[in-house]
Amino acid sequence: QAADYKREQFRRYLEKSGVLDTLTKVLVALYEEPEKPNSALDFLKHHLGASAPENPEIEALRLEVAEMKEKYEAVLEENKKLKTKV
């Protein structure tokens, strides 16, 4: 009975946190796919947000952020040098 109680508590936890609902929606989406994907696991990962984004726009934004960080560091360094001069 202890195992049944633990299992029921865990099921309630999953239901309360929305995990069961989310998994059900993703599995229904997979079921309703007219052409089943080669990898069901990749489909699940993609729909749950666990896969790397394939959008080239996102990659461009990442590069822009990296460039801005470099510029920011350079400006900080320049600011430090100018403060020592004053």
Side-chain angles (χ1 to χ4, degrees):
Q1 276 189 0
D4 287 341
Y5 177 75
K6 279 186 172 183
R7 191 175 301 126
E8 181 60 23
Q9 290 291 67
F10 187 65
R11 186 194 64 75
R12 286 184 186 160
Y13 163 73
L14 292 177
E15 188 174 337
K16 188 176 182 181
S17 63
V19 171
L20 290 180
D21 187 47
T22 301
L23 285 174
T24 300
K25 287 178 182 176
V26 172
L27 290 171
V28 167
L30 176 60
Y31 176 78
E32 292 176 344
E33 276 293 307
E35 290 188 31
K36 302 297 182 239
N38 291 332
S39 172
L41 185 58
D42 287 343
F43 180 90
L44 293 174
K45 285 179 181 178
H46 176 73
H47 282 79
L48 290 173
S51 65
E54 298 172 12
N55 190 340
E57 212 173 281
I58 292 174
E59 188 58 34
L61 289 172
R62 282 192 179 128
L63 290 173
E64 185 177 345
V65 166
E67 289 174 11
M68 294 302 214
K69 283 180 179 178
E70 286 180 25
K71 287 180 182 179
Y72 172 75
E73 293 298 325
V75 167
L76 281 180
E77 190 63 32
E78 182 182 3
N79 188 12
K80 188 191 287 184
K81 288 178 182 177
L82 290 173
K83 281 183 179 180
T84 58
K85 286 183 179 180
V86 170

